[in-house]
Amino acid sequence: MGRRRPTPEAARRATRAAATALTASGLAAALLAAPTAATAGNRPDPLLEDLDRGVVAVPTDGGYLVSWRLLAGDRPGTGFEVRRDGRVVATLDGDDATNVVDPGGRAGARYQVVPLRDGHRAGEADSGTAWSAASLDVPLDRPAGGTTPAGEAYTYSANDVSVGDLDGDGDYELVLKWYPSNAKDNSQDGYTGNVLIDAYTLQGEKLWRIDLGRNVRAGAHYTQVAVQDFDGDGRSEVALKTADGTVDGRGRVIGDPGADHRDGVGRVLSGPEFLSVFDGRSGREIDTVAYVPARHPDTDDPTPQQMKELWGDDYGNRIDRFLGGTASFDGRSHSIVMARGYYTRAVVAAWDLRGGRLHQRWVFDTEDPALGPEWEGQGNHQFSVADVDADGRDEVVYGSIAIDDDGTGLWNAGLGHGDALHVGDLDPARPGLERFGVHECMTCSGGVGASMLDAATGEVLWTTPADADNGRGLSADVDPSSPGSESWSSRSPGLYAADGEKLTDAKPASINHAVWWDGDRQRELLDGTTISEWDPATGTTVPLLAAEGVVSNNGTKANPSISGDLLGDWREEVVLPTADGSALRVLTTTFPTEERITTLVHDRTYRAQLASQNSGYNQPPHTGTSLG
């Protein structure tokens, strides 16, 4: 374990690549609206993961519900044969949904799903073992707690999760952030325990542990985990902000192992900052570069006055607001996206992993003189990725501004900072994608509490008022009689249709998360450990699941560790820590469906947003076209 300190990579701006034949939104429309129109092969788009069928079987009324993925590369008319322990129990035609109820199912049975064309086997079969319940516990190696330099004891709890195919076997592994009980908001002084990052298979095998060390503070805004196949080898890597003393999954130290940059109140406002990318199978460090942006361009140890001049305060509340995720800026490969700041200055950097080295693609900085001061203070507590201009390359919607795929400013709505935003085909009556978000500063937004924007241009389509910080907002298709997504927020009154028409004064009390759970194309509400359905006729929510023995994350945000289409057909799973901290519980639906829809993770918009779901204030992923 030697002392190593990386040098910054020289910045370079990548040339714009030619547009791909299928745009992200166009591909999503082809896959979701008419999934059997996909081209032959496992991956018609090189950005899509080469996944297996994700076969899952769980007890339900009348037997066992067996479900599996319809892949983007499945040819038109692909049917399926389902076998239990070698015996055929169902044969499905090429227009049937990818699930079936087996009356003879039982826990431990081995289910095999075989694709068919004209009655003949047409590809690899995949299998899975039936669960004994509608959930699977993934055992965890819970770390021991510790004591801070101030003598305060702390323990650990399982927090946010990201997913990726770390070993290239076609299914997802879980990348878990362990949260110390003394984690801090940026506005708070105090020491914290080290942040630990683990990787687990769904069978509970622990692959590795990364210890970010004492020079990375713990809190929702400090550590963002980006997981994706960045080098195109078919296996996902993990990108993290690191520092002196970070220990990779093989025990190798990054930077100076003896350095301690914490000040007298536990903050880390000096010392080098790094961006590291790690091998998904082993946790081994692949490469490390200087984090961009730095606190100051000239020094690792800026004075309080220098920090205040650059970021707006001198104690780390604004300077240490980090965001992270993934995007494809060339339509062919995945880039790492890392950001700093949103209350005042905001800087976003894109990185590519090529030949085992990190290369800077571009840097966007609101202090660029070409932009002007009105671009500052427009960021959110998260960003969203989508191909908003339909050119085959992703953009970053960073609150009330958007960044084009070449790192230049695309648009600025000028509505200021907010706590939640959603990007997708929220209004299918309009071409392209929309962005719905809420706003915090009423003097900044001109009294606009929530807004729906054209995601390609930033044009304000409609707004709702608020009289103070509008801290929560959600957009999801919860009413089958109203086309597209309905939107509502904590301080703006009522429930609004996709076109801005007020549907009712009543609105769902849940404004935290959304999930496709039952058998229809509308989305359900996920709040803490409860899934419910909005009933437009009565203006109330109807509980569908109240999960026991599990807890939600991040205080009043009541987030799952992750929710998304991780297994089975297109419905989403919900992952929550067990109350005793011993496991992550994967909850899956027990509702049959007649809807045949390609797996949502083969929608590029959805997959990119799933990768950044846990950044900042967690938000649910949205598809590039309306399922409803």
Side-chain angles (χ1 to χ4, degrees):
M1 299 182 187
R3 176 185 175 113
R4 285 186 308 115
R5 180 157 296 175
T7 58
E9 292 286 332
R12 63 178 179 84
R13 183 174 298 279
T15 57
R16 296 173 67 95
T20 54
L22 285 173
T23 68
S25 57
L27 175 65
L31 299 184
L32 291 169
T36 56
T39 58
N42 285 333
R43 292 191 292 172
D45 184 321
L47 292 172
L48 305 183
E49 292 157 301
D50 192 5
L51 297 173
D52 64 18
R53 296 288 172 187
V55 179
V56 63
V58 296
T60 189
D61 293 341
Y64 261 67
L65 175 66
V66 187
S67 68
W68 59 95
R69 294 183 179 114
L70 183 67
L71 302 173
D74 286 331
R75 296 180 61 188
T78 298
F80 295 94
E81 182 179 82
V82 181
R83 302 173 182 172
R84 174 184 12 97
D85 295 331
R87 175 189 174 190
V88 176
V89 295
T91 302
L92 290 83
D93 294 333
D95 56 358
D96 289 329
T98 56
N99 70 103
V100 68
V101 175
D102 174 21
R106 63 182 182 277
R110 191 70 174 170
Y111 282 94
Q112 187 179 57
V113 174
V114 183
L116 302 175
R117 287 281 298 163
D118 301 322
H120 301 285
R121 182 166 176 160
E124 293 185 9
D126 284 316
S127 60
T129 301
W131 300 356
S132 60
S135 63
L136 175 71
D137 280 5
V138 178
L140 300 176
D141 177 17
R142 185 177 184 177
T147 304
T148 70
E152 301 162 331
Y154 61 89
T155 57
Y156 281 99
S157 61
N159 191 247
D160 292 337
V161 165
S162 297
V163 297
D165 185 1
L166 302 181
D167 53 13
D169 65 352
D171 61 12
Y172 285 134
E173 282 73 46
L174 307 177
V175 179
L176 167 68
K177 178 168 66 176
W178 285 105
Y179 223 40
S181 55
N182 56 1
K184 303 294 182 186
D185 184 81
N186 299 58
S187 62
Q188 301 169 336
D189 290 339
Y191 290 94
T192 72
N194 293 8
V195 178
L196 307 176
I197 309 294
D198 283 1
Y200 295 89
T201 69
L202 287 174
Q203 293 72 40
E205 178 189 357
K206 178 183 169 186
L207 301 179
W208 44 259
R209 171 169 291 169
I210 294 169
D211 184 343
L212 293 182
R214 59 193 170 203
N215 294 309
V216 175
R217 204 166 186 243
H221 305 289
Y222 292 99
T223 294
Q224 317 305 340
V225 185
V227 182
Q228 187 52 273
D229 179 10
F230 297 116
D231 60 6
D233 67 352
R235 299 185 299 272
S236 290
E237 290 77 38
V238 180
L240 295 162
K241 181 179 180 289
T242 59
D244 281 339
T246 294
V247 182
D248 78 0
R250 288 188 171 177
R252 187 179 185 186
V253 178
I254 294 172
D256 182 354
D260 188 345
H261 301 296
R262 295 172 294 183
D263 64 17
V265 293
R267 294 182 178 274
V268 183
L269 299 175
S270 64
E273 301 173 287
F274 308 138
L275 171 65
S276 298
V277 63
F278 301 88
D279 178 75
R281 292 175 297 179
S282 65
R284 172 186 59 85
E285 178 214 7
I286 297 173
D287 194 26
T288 292
V289 295
Y291 190 85
V292 175
R295 300 184 187 96
H296 191 278
D298 301 326
T299 176
D300 288 336
D301 304 309
T303 66
Q305 183 60 31
Q306 287 175 318
M307 286 190 289
K308 189 169 185 177
E309 289 173 354
L310 281 175
W311 299 97
D313 68 32
D314 59 5
Y315 67 101
N317 186 29
R318 288 170 172 81
I319 193 173
D320 276 355
R321 301 277 177 163
F322 299 99
L323 297 172
T326 75
S328 175
F329 297 118
D330 59 9
R332 302 186 304 271
S333 58
H334 296 285
S335 296
I336 301 164
V337 184
M338 288 287 164
R340 184 177 214 146
Y342 39 76
Y343 286 129
T344 52
R345 180 189 185 191
V347 184
V348 182
W351 298 86
D352 296 330
L353 181 64
R354 300 288 182 270
R357 293 290 180 264
L358 285 166
H359 301 274
Q360 193 175 95
R361 176 177 281 267
W362 50 252
V363 177
F364 170 87
D365 190 339
T366 56
E367 287 204 341
D368 184 340
L371 294 175
E374 67 272 14
W375 284 74
E376 296 199 351
Q378 303 296 323
N380 259 50
H381 282 290
Q382 71 288 129
F383 62 72
S384 191
V385 170
D387 178 12
V388 301
D389 55 8
D391 66 355
R393 300 180 291 268
D394 287 335
E395 284 73 43
V396 178
V397 180
Y398 201 81
S400 291
I401 61 176
I403 305 166
D404 207 351
D405 55 81
D406 63 355
T408 60
L410 182 63
W411 52 256
N412 180 3
L415 293 169
H417 167 74
D419 284 7
L421 67 87
H422 306 270
V423 176
D425 189 9
L426 307 179
D427 184 355
R430 299 185 69 259
L433 307 180
E434 292 76 37
R435 172 266 193 213
F436 176 77
V438 295
H439 306 288
E440 180 172 307
C441 172
M442 293 302 100
T443 58
C444 305
S445 68
V448 172
S451 62
M452 183 73 79
L453 311 180
D454 184 305
T457 66
E459 175 191 358
V460 178
L461 303 176
W462 54 266
T463 66
T464 62
D467 56 5
D469 177 2
N470 197 20
R472 301 287 178 89
L474 190 56
S475 190
D477 185 1
V478 296
D479 184 347
S481 67
S482 174
S485 292
E486 291 69 50
S487 302
W488 64 103
S489 59
S490 55
R491 285 190 177 270
S492 292
L495 180 68
Y496 293 82
D499 62 2
E501 177 188 358
K502 188 176 182 181
L503 297 173
T504 174
D505 289 331
K507 60 185 178 183
S510 172
I511 321 180
N512 280 340
H513 231 69
V515 58
W516 280 288
W517 187 257
D518 61 11
D520 59 38
R521 288 178 177 244
Q522 277 65 54
R523 223 163 182 186
E524 283 65 56
L525 302 171
L526 172 60
D527 194 352
T529 61
T530 300
I531 296 174
S532 58
E533 185 173 46
W534 175 248
D535 183 354
T538 63
T540 60
T541 53
V542 179
L544 298 179
L545 174 71
E548 298 180 351
V550 290
V551 294
S552 59
N553 288 322
N554 304 323
T556 60
K557 302 297 184 293
N559 302 131
S561 291
I562 194 170
S563 67
D565 181 11
L566 310 181
L567 293 165
D569 59 32
W570 57 276
R571 271 84 59 79
E572 295 176 291
E573 280 66 47
V574 176
V575 181
L576 293 160
T578 57
D580 63 4
S582 65
L584 288 170
R585 183 162 296 166
V586 182
L587 305 171
T588 194
T589 186
T590 60
F591 290 88
T593 182
E594 297 180 356
E595 303 288 352
R596 180 182 172 101
I597 297 175
T598 299
T599 176
L600 303 187
V601 290
H602 275 179
D603 176 311
R604 277 176 49 182
T605 301
Y606 182 92
R607 184 63 184 94
Q609 294 183 18
L610 182 67
S612 60
Q613 177 184 141
N614 305 123
S615 182
Y617 290 172
N618 308 25
Q619 302 295 310
H622 298 273
T623 54
T625 192
S626 173
L627 267 67

